[in-house]
Amino acid sequence: MRILRHFHYRFSIKTKLTVAFLLVGMLTILLMGMLSYHLYNNGIKRDFHRISQEATLRLNHHIDFYIYQLTKSTSSVAKDELVQKWMKYEHQATLEEQQNVQNVLRRHVALNYPEIVGMFLLTPDGRTLSMTNLALRSEELLAQEPWYDNRLTEKAAVISTHAVKYVNEDVRVLSLEMPIYSVENMDLLGKLVIDFHLDEIQRTFEKSSLAPQGRFFIVSEQDRIVYYPNYKWLGLPREQTALQQLDLTDNENASIQQWESKRTLVAVTRSETTGWTFVSIVPYEEMASAAKHTPNTMIFAFIVIACCIVTVVPFLSRAFVKPILHLRQVMGSVERGDLQVRAAYTSGHDEFQYLNRSFNMMIEQVNQLLETVSTLKLQEVSLQLREKEALVKALQTQINPHFLYNSLDIIKSMAYLEDMPEIVKMARSLADFYRYTAQDMSAIVRLEEELTQLKHFLSIIHIRFPGTFRSQFSVNEKFMHCLIPKLIVQPLVENAVKYAIEAKEGKGSIIINAFDDQSDLVIEVADNGPGIRRERLEQIQAMLKQLSENALHEYGKQQSLGIANVHARIVLQYGSAYGLSLDSFEGRGTVASLRLPLHLIQNKTEGED
């Protein structure tokens, strides 16, 4: 396979198309020639079998008619008075009587059928009277004839060709046995045997020639040759002649067999009257003379097709190669960095046009990808700059934090000495909360830690609004050890204090709740403040949706650092399926919900490990 692939890539499309068309043309001609030859061959065999049957039927009818005429005309001899008288004798007839009967027989032969060799009268008691046109060797030799020992029959019968023994010459005859009945009482008196030459049959076959070298022959039921142009084969078993190589079993179809070193058509027809088999043989070349020219015709057709292919293929190959060369030129320009070039495209069903269109679409997509990569790189640089700015700001806010912690501790100590417990509590809560917020903002903490710092923050709000402000934590113990981003809830509580509690001068409540929703953890911060106007709520929800769709690009553009920051941090860390949602009822309050993946949260033991 590798060798074929290497051979395939070595040549141009023009050469490959020429070879391919030549091969296809040659295979087409060969297939058509083989199919035509097969159909032509079958047609010849069918026609030959039909013609042979028709000729055989005519020959068989002629032979039957000849035997019928011979039988009918000879019946007058059987009714002759002298013949009837001789057949009835119960004793040996006189020589004169025998000569009279022989004269009757000889006269019949002379007047009607000169091809008759001999006529013989046979009685049941064994008496025999012979009349022959040839010199009779001996009366005793008649016993060797095939008809001598045959029993008497009530109907005429034909005995196939055989060589007579009662003459010195080589004579092959057919024998006709006829019963002789008494004209008085119709008793069977004996039989009349007629031996006759095959001259009439031979003349009939000579008139019915199928082809110049074609011939007929007849075989008896005992597979002996009844008639064949070769006189020496007459009467012999077929197995003793060259005819034994022919298969004569199929009498339904013609067949092609080897005979005399030639392909020969053989047709077999059996006679219902005599039981003989009529065989027609004709050299195949004579019946299929047109087939001789088939190879030359195929060669001529192939030469014509090859000339047409050699002439037409260059034009066809140019039509195929030109679009490929154009596309290769365009691809070379793209390879050199020119992404503005495009392949020529014309709408239609041409495969090359599909290829050009696909190539143009690919270049468009490459341009889009390059633009996307450039944009992402710019965004990445911008994000890194914003992170650095945030880091600088964070560093600026963390300048000398120990000084701030020490100052808060001094305020707490002085308040304690002055017996001012609210200031002590506020200073302690503020110091703990500030210490918590000053640590790594990207850390992951337990929900329990986040809620503890919220309690420090809310304790300061309780001191600010004593007696009127209420806060409540409704969180199941099983969620306390879940991990969440640090300071993800505090901005929501701070917003609730700013827009709900302060707006009502401290007369309000904040409830923090946590529950699981299938594989998610939901944390809610609810207040009973004045709520958010419908228009403002829609603006905030649109902003959150925009952040979900493109948090990396939109993060940092928002003026507020509260809910936008919280939502962007969750989306960037967990995906757009998570984040912040806001629901508000004007005059009744607001609910801010955080949705986090529960399957990313570990228990306390795993967190400590």
Side-chain angles (χ1 to χ4, degrees):
M1 181 63 69
R2 185 177 300 174
I3 297 175
L4 290 176
R5 190 182 296 113
H6 177 70
F7 180 79
H8 171 72
Y9 291 136
R10 285 184 59 187
F11 299 98
S12 65
I13 292 179
K14 176 181 177 181
T15 304
K16 288 184 284 190
L17 284 175
T18 303
V19 173
F21 279 118
L22 287 174
L23 290 176
V24 170
M26 184 173 64
L27 289 176
T28 302
I29 291 173
L30 286 175
L31 289 175
M32 290 180 62
M34 293 173 62
L35 181 61
S36 300
Y37 177 79
H38 176 72
L39 296 175
Y40 182 69
N41 189 48
N42 289 339
I44 288 175
K45 289 194 289 185
R46 286 195 303 269
D47 293 342
F48 177 70
H49 186 259
R50 177 178 54 79
I51 294 171
S52 298
Q53 277 191 324
E54 292 175 357
T56 301
L57 288 174
R58 289 195 300 271
L59 292 173
N60 188 44
H61 177 73
H62 186 82
I63 293 172
D64 288 345
F65 182 74
Y66 173 74
I67 294 175
Y68 171 76
Q69 288 294 104
L70 181 61
T71 304
K72 185 176 181 181
S73 62
T74 310
S75 62
S76 60
V77 176
K79 296 177 182 179
D80 187 86
E81 181 179 356
L82 295 176
V83 173
Q84 287 276 322
K85 184 177 179 181
W86 184 88
M87 295 292 292
K88 293 178 182 179
Y89 281 158
E90 296 179 359
H91 55 82
Q92 188 67 30
T94 63
L95 180 60
E96 183 181 358
E97 291 175 336
Q98 291 181 3
Q99 289 178 347
N100 292 336
V101 174
Q102 289 174 342
N103 290 333
V104 172
L105 299 178
R106 187 172 288 108
R107 187 168 54 253
H108 174 75
V109 171
L111 294 176
N112 296 284
Y113 297 97
E115 65 268 21
I116 293 178
V117 175
M119 299 181 69
F120 308 92
L121 295 173
L122 287 84
T123 61
D125 56 5
R127 289 183 297 116
T128 304
L129 178 64
S130 60
M131 186 286 302
T132 176
N133 291 330
L134 302 176
L136 185 65
R137 293 172 57 191
S138 172
E139 290 282 347
E140 297 177 357
L141 294 177
L142 296 177
Q144 299 180 14
E145 296 300 313
W147 40 260
Y148 187 83
D149 293 328
N150 285 357
R151 62 183 180 86
L152 298 178
T153 59
E154 296 181 356
K155 293 184 178 180
V158 179
I159 299 175
S160 63
T161 305
H162 57 280
V164 297
K165 305 295 190 301
Y166 52 83
V167 296
N168 293 323
E169 302 175 17
D170 181 13
V171 179
R172 314 291 173 95
V173 297
L174 284 171
S175 298
L176 175 64
E177 291 184 316
M178 296 176 51
I180 298 179
Y181 295 95
S182 172
V183 295
E184 296 177 355
N185 53 19
M186 295 303 293
D187 289 340
L188 183 61
L189 301 179
K191 65 180 179 180
L192 171 64
V193 178
I194 303 173
D195 287 347
F196 56 95
H197 284 297
L198 281 73
D199 297 343
E200 182 66 23
I201 296 177
Q202 183 174 357
R203 285 192 296 270
T204 302
F205 278 104
E206 288 175 353
K207 294 177 182 179
S208 302
S209 177
L210 294 175
Q213 297 183 25
R215 65 193 69 172
F216 290 95
F217 66 90
I218 305 174
V219 179
S220 68
E221 292 181 299
Q222 293 76 28
D223 204 26
R224 287 180 171 271
I225 299 176
V226 176
Y227 169 76
Y228 189 77
N230 187 346
Y231 189 79
K232 294 181 179 180
W233 289 3
L234 297 179
L236 295 179
R238 190 164 65 93
E239 61 184 11
Q240 296 180 9
T241 68
L243 295 174
Q244 64 175 340
Q245 60 184 290
L246 296 178
D247 182 11
L248 307 181
T249 56
D250 187 6
N251 62 341
E252 298 294 333
N253 301 289
S255 60
I256 300 177
Q257 304 181 35
Q258 285 295 123
W259 167 248
E260 295 181 347
S261 302
K262 295 181 181 179
R263 298 178 71 227
T264 305
L265 286 166
V266 179
V268 178
T269 306
R270 284 181 172 80
S271 171
E272 297 295 336
T273 306
T274 60
W276 294 345
T277 299
F278 289 76
V279 183
S280 309
I281 54 175
V282 174
Y284 182 81
E285 294 180 355
E286 292 192 22
M287 293 297 294
S289 57
K292 296 179 182 178
H293 307 291
T294 300
N296 296 331
T297 304
M298 292 175 62
I299 294 173
F300 177 75
F302 178 73
I303 293 174
V304 172
I305 292 176
C307 293
C308 294
I309 290 173
V310 172
T311 305
V312 174
V313 163
F315 297 99
L316 292 177
S317 63
R318 189 178 299 112
F320 282 104
V321 172
K322 186 177 180 180
I324 297 176
L325 294 177
H326 170 69
L327 185 59
R328 186 179 68 177
Q329 182 180 3
V330 175
M331 293 175 67
S333 299
V334 174
E335 184 180 2
R336 291 189 292 270
D338 184 6
L339 297 180
Q340 302 304 318
V341 68
R342 296 292 183 270
Y345 170 70
T346 304
S347 62
H349 298 287
D350 183 66
E351 286 77 5
F352 287 115
Q353 299 305 317
Y354 286 145
L355 186 61
N356 291 344
R357 184 182 66 177
S358 300
F359 178 79
N360 292 340
M361 292 174 64
M362 182 188 69
I363 297 300
E364 293 289 346
Q365 292 176 356
V366 169
N367 277 330
Q368 293 177 3
L369 289 175
L370 290 176
E371 292 176 0
T372 303
V373 170
S374 300
T375 303
L376 290 176
K377 285 185 176 180
L378 291 175
Q379 291 177 357
E380 183 179 0
V381 172
S382 177
L383 180 61
Q384 291 176 353
L385 290 175
R386 287 199 296 269
E387 288 178 351
K388 290 181 179 179
E389 291 175 358
L391 180 60
V392 171
K393 292 180 181 178
L395 290 174
Q396 290 175 349
T397 59
Q398 293 179 8
I399 295 176
N400 200 5
H402 293 289
F403 174 76
L404 179 60
Y405 301 153
N406 291 336
S407 298
L408 290 173
D409 286 338
I410 291 172
I411 293 172
K412 180 181 68 174
S413 299
M414 292 177 64
Y416 179 76
L417 292 174
E418 295 294 331
D419 194 18
M420 300 176 69
E422 288 83 0
I423 296 177
V424 173
K425 183 177 180 182
M426 181 180 293
R428 183 186 297 114
S429 298
L430 184 59
D432 291 340
F433 180 75
Y434 192 76
R435 214 176 265 112
Y436 178 74
T437 58
Q439 296 173 1
D440 186 9
M441 288 288 293
S442 62
I444 301 296
V445 299
R446 293 193 299 271
L447 178 60
E448 182 180 16
E449 298 177 30
E450 186 79 359
L451 295 182
T452 299
Q453 299 308 318
L454 285 177
K455 291 177 182 178
H456 290 317
F457 174 76
L458 289 175
S459 66
I460 297 174
I461 307 303
H462 276 286
I463 295 173
R464 183 181 175 188
F465 301 109
T468 58
F469 174 66
R470 298 286 183 272
S471 64
Q472 178 182 347
F473 291 85
S474 179
V475 180
N476 194 300
E477 185 66 25
K478 67 179 180 178
F479 300 122
M480 289 298 184
H481 304 296
C482 295
L483 299 180
I484 64 173
K486 184 178 179 181
L487 290 176
I488 203 71
V489 184
Q490 190 273 339
L492 303 182
V493 176
E494 186 176 349
N495 271 3
V497 171
K498 180 178 179 181
Y499 295 106
I501 304 305
E502 290 181 358
K504 296 179 66 174
E505 298 180 353
K507 298 178 182 179
S509 301
I510 295 178
I511 300 175
I512 293 94
N513 182 28
F515 61 90
D516 58 339
D517 182 11
Q518 296 182 358
S519 61
D520 296 338
L521 173 67
V522 180
I523 303 173
E524 291 183 344
V525 177
D527 64 66
N528 60 350
I532 305 173
R533 298 192 316 275
R534 181 177 178 182
E535 295 79 5
R536 178 57 180 164
L537 179 62
E538 291 177 354
Q539 292 177 0
I540 295 173
Q541 290 175 341
M543 176 193 67
L544 296 177
K545 182 178 180 182
Q546 190 174 6
L547 280 171
S548 297
E549 294 174 352
N550 196 359
L552 182 62
H553 182 70
E554 298 293 333
Y555 181 56
K557 290 185 178 181
Q558 307 298 331
Q559 297 297 325
S560 174
L561 299 180
I563 59 176
N565 256 342
V566 171
H567 184 66
R569 286 176 60 196
I570 296 175
V571 171
L572 288 173
Q573 188 163 355
Y574 300 117
S576 60
Y578 304 95
L580 171 67
S581 62
L582 200 64
D583 294 307
S584 182
F585 306 93
E586 194 171 354
R588 296 169 57 187
T590 302
V591 178
S593 302
L594 295 176
R595 181 174 292 273
L596 302 170
L598 188 60
H599 66 277
L600 297 176
I601 301 173
Q602 306 176 11
N603 58 34
K604 179 178 179 181
T605 304
E606 294 173 339
E608 292 175 352
D609 292 342

